[in-house]
Amino acid sequence: MIYTERISMVNKKFFWGASTSAFQVEGGFGQGGKGIATTDVRYVPEGVADNKIASDHYHHWKEDIKLMKDLGINLYRFSFNWTRIMGDGTNVNQKGLDFYNNIIDECLKFNITPFPTLYHFEMPQHLVDLFGGWKSRECIEAYTKYAEICFKEFGDRVKIWGTINEQMIAIAAKDLNGNHGVNDEQAVKDMYQMSYNMSLAEKRAIALFRTMVPDGKIGPINSMQVVYPASPSPEDIEATQYAKDFLQNCFLDMSVFGRYPLAYVNYLKEKGWYPKTEEEDKVILTENKPDLIGINYYSSTCIRTKKENDNDSKLPPFYRNDKFILEKNPHIMKTKWMEFGIDPKGLYLGMKDIYERYQLPMIVTENGLAYSDILENNKVHDDYRIDYLKKHIEQVEKFVQDGYPLIGYSTWSFIDLVSSHQGFSKRYGLVYVDRTDSDPKKCCRIPKDSYFWYKNMIKK
Ligand code: BG6
């Protein structure tokens, strides 16, 4: 399909949106037939909010969508909780389907395009107990079944879908995928097997999608890696090329071309980490190309070659291997919660690279600033967030003006939510949720200054 046909999916309108994910906003633990998710039973340090109440969107969803309408957005990017739709991963929960039907219908009532992601970091714990979750090929079946239920139930009204959010984080973070109790060597091996199984599951879902929602568009949500060489030395340039293969190309090449970068294949084989595959996988992997790529972007990083005395044990496994090591970019400003720094230009550069390699339309699905906001006199003056958004949106505008196929921008996040690992002390929302880590209070919603800024920006 050529680009102009693909872009017609959105009737040439630009999407201005806001994003959340189910396990970070919903709460509603144990309610409406929701099952136990990996994210419900993960370890959360004392004094940090868990996901059981979160932003209490489960009870505030109508009010939240009204706030979206008043904001003027025409896209809401969210995710389905697998465990709300299939509590144990096998049986369908009608109440869960009803919950999302209500959300979808309410959005459509206000001309807000619903854009769900099927898998955003949470999954039924039961499937982990049963067969180890994503480590097993059985998870491919389970995810495909879940996708089929979602396409059947919502596909008549939902036409734009994400398959998997940030595969890199989903495979590496044990607290999200439930792969606890294994040693480091095994964890790394499992990580590559999980990734392969996820890619296969994504393709199986896309194959189904083509028959069930033929007028819809679907694609992966990528954690965009903008990596600069730490120096012009040929070694650092080489390390940067490896980093690109291991941090991004291995996921997107698989999504789009159905194969891994050669350097990745060679390295995994050399280490004995190459995943188990089956001959017939090749067809399904190469045949089911996505329509678009979702872009999550927060910051850029630098890459250098690994030195012998490097102590990299604190870096997560995807940020280092024998071929490269990732570090902070000394040229960009850092803040407490944006520890890798703020680099608006990186958004442009990263998307340009992705377009040149994959030639697919893109949509920014996450981009935003974390801060410990302060509520004073019922107001939050978050000019620092406005500054971040303004600078990134300038790059978005330039990107579109330069002719690249970007179909929308959706900021992270619509309301404050439980950060993936730091609770509520770190906030991203346009709307303040009045609760603390230890006291959920009533979770009242208070639009921040950035909400009004975004509203005006969209209007213009
Ligand atoms: C992305 C995720 O990795 O970044 C979100 O898709 C997450 O779920 C966001 O919340 C920000 O990261 P964090 O760790 O600050 O919550």
Side-chain angles (χ1 to χ4, degrees):
M1 197 186 286
I2 56 165
Y3 157 63
T4 44
E5 285 168 48
R6 286 180 186 276
I7 203 88
S8 71
M9 75 176 106
V10 291
N11 306 321
K12 297 199 169 72
K13 76 177 168 191
F14 193 78
F15 286 119
W16 288 109
S19 303
T20 64
S21 89
F23 89 102
Q24 292 176 279
V25 287
E26 277 181 17
F29 174 72
Q31 294 181 43
K34 184 186 179 301
I36 305 289
T38 46
T39 46
D40 292 329
V41 293
R42 66 180 175 153
Y43 166 74
V44 176
E46 184 75 32
V48 175
D50 62 19
N51 303 96
K52 299 205 168 75
I53 297 177
S55 313
D56 202 21
H57 177 66
Y58 187 68
H59 297 106
H60 289 251
W61 64 271
K62 224 171 181 168
E63 177 190 348
D64 288 341
I65 298 173
K66 168 76 170 54
L67 277 165
M68 289 177 208
K69 173 197 172 261
D70 294 345
L71 178 60
I73 53 176
N74 59 0
L75 179 114
Y76 175 40
R77 186 255 171 166
F78 62 108
S79 71
F80 295 135
N81 245 325
W82 191 344
T83 49
R84 198 171 285 295
I85 291 179
M86 300 171 86
D88 60 357
T90 41
N91 295 303
V92 181
N93 172 33
Q94 187 55 47
K95 282 190 187 151
L97 296 176
D98 294 345
F99 175 70
Y100 293 115
N101 270 321
N102 287 337
I103 287 185
I104 289 163
D105 291 342
E106 191 75 1
C107 281
L108 291 171
K109 188 165 108 191
F110 297 130
N111 291 320
I112 299 170
T113 298
F115 177 9
T117 299
L118 287 165
Y119 187 84
H120 192 127
F121 295 165
E122 72 78 60
M123 69 177 294
Q125 178 61 35
H126 184 63
L127 300 184
V128 176
D129 299 339
L130 212 58
F131 48 69
W134 284 109
K135 281 191 284 187
S136 161
R137 280 181 82 97
E138 287 184 62
C139 208
I140 301 168
E141 277 312 313
Y143 174 88
T144 312
K145 183 79 208 148
Y146 159 60
E148 185 182 3
I149 287 157
C150 293
F151 298 152
K152 181 162 174 259
E153 184 73 20
F154 312 119
D156 57 333
R157 286 152 296 147
V158 177
K159 301 298 174 189
I160 172 164
W161 295 70
T163 51
I164 287 166
N165 181 70
E166 298 195 352
Q167 191 165 335
M168 179 173 80
I169 309 293
I171 55 166
K174 293 184 195 176
D175 62 326
L176 303 175
N177 61 42
N179 189 27
H180 305 287
V182 287
N183 62 43
D184 286 354
E185 169 76 10
Q186 189 59 42
V188 172
K189 203 170 174 193
D190 290 345
M191 181 172 93
Y192 293 115
Q193 186 67 54
M194 285 194 259
S195 190
Y196 181 78
N197 292 347
M198 262 187 205
S199 296
L200 210 47
E202 169 178 87
K203 296 293 194 169
R204 290 273 303 276
I206 295 178
L208 265 181
F209 186 76
R210 297 287 174 237
T211 60
M212 298 181 71
V213 194
D215 56 343
K217 304 293 166 187
I218 192 165
I221 310 295
N222 173 46
S223 164
M224 187 166 76
Q225 300 298 306
V226 179
V227 288
Y228 305 121
S231 83
S233 79
E235 290 74 21
D236 285 349
I237 307 279
E238 186 185 28
T240 308
Q241 291 188 356
Y242 276 118
K244 280 188 184 166
D245 283 341
F246 280 85
L247 299 176
Q248 180 162 284
N249 300 344
C250 59
F251 307 112
L252 288 183
D253 281 12
M254 203 58 160
S255 284
V256 180
F257 308 130
R259 57 167 161 70
Y260 285 131
L262 194 54
Y264 178 94
V265 173
N266 291 343
Y267 183 75
L268 262 51
K269 286 196 169 158
E270 186 192 309
K271 290 281 188 184
W273 294 340
Y274 196 76
K276 286 195 201 102
T277 64
E278 288 176 13
E279 194 49 37
E280 63 267 24
D281 296 347
K282 280 189 191 141
V283 180
I284 185 113
L285 286 173
T286 47
E287 275 185 356
N288 300 288
K289 233 180 135 163
D291 305 297
L292 51 85
I293 298 174
I295 304 289
N296 291 357
Y297 175 73
Y298 293 89
S299 188
S300 60
T301 48
C302 280
I303 304 291
R304 63 173 172 79
T305 188
K306 203 170 161 184
K307 298 184 190 114
E308 246 175 42
N309 54 357
D310 271 339
N311 177 6
D312 58 2
S313 57
K314 289 219 172 82
L315 283 175
F318 48 86
Y319 277 172
R320 34 106 191 184
N321 67 29
D322 300 345
K323 306 282 190 188
F324 73 92
I325 189 156
L326 180 143
E327 59 185 19
K328 291 176 188 168
N329 184 344
H331 298 282
I332 59 176
M333 192 190 77
K334 328 252 175 333
T335 66
K336 180 182 173 203
W337 290 125
M338 304 298 284
E339 54 193 306
F340 281 105
I342 296 175
D343 177 16
K345 187 102 204 139
L347 177 59
Y348 185 102
L349 297 174
M351 292 197 294
K352 180 170 178 275
D353 258 10
I354 289 184
Y355 178 67
E356 295 303 351
R357 192 171 176 107
Y358 303 108
Q359 307 268 304
L360 285 176
M362 286 164 284
I363 176 163
V364 176
T365 33
E366 287 183 29
N367 174 241
L369 177 96
Y371 202 87
S372 303
D373 296 314
I374 297 171
L375 180 69
E376 259 176 337
N377 302 324
N378 230 26
K379 292 204 179 339
V380 178
H381 299 302
D382 56 343
D383 45 320
Y384 37 84
R385 182 167 292 108
I386 294 173
D387 188 57
Y388 179 99
L389 294 176
K390 195 165 170 274
K391 289 185 173 139
H392 284 77
I393 289 172
E394 274 166 18
Q395 295 299 320
V396 162
E397 284 171 346
K398 181 170 159 28
F399 195 70
V400 173
Q401 276 159 14
D402 289 350
Y404 293 103
L406 186 72
I407 62 169
Y409 173 91
S410 188
T411 186
W412 186 264
S413 51
F414 173 56
I415 51 177
D416 287 338
L417 39 74
V418 191
S419 128
S420 73
H421 296 95
Q422 284 104 353
F424 272 92
S425 51
K426 184 184 189 189
R427 294 168 181 262
Y428 288 89
L430 300 175
V431 177
Y432 189 84
V433 173
D434 190 16
R435 63 159 293 172
T436 65
D437 270 323
S438 51
D439 182 1
K441 302 197 229 173
K442 290 187 180 152
C443 285
C444 286
R445 275 53 176 154
I446 301 151
K448 303 179 192 175
D449 286 0
S450 56
Y451 174 96
F452 298 105
W453 177 85
Y454 197 56
K455 179 178 170 140
N456 278 330
M457 193 277 307
I458 294 172
K459 215 185 269 171
K460 278 189 203 143

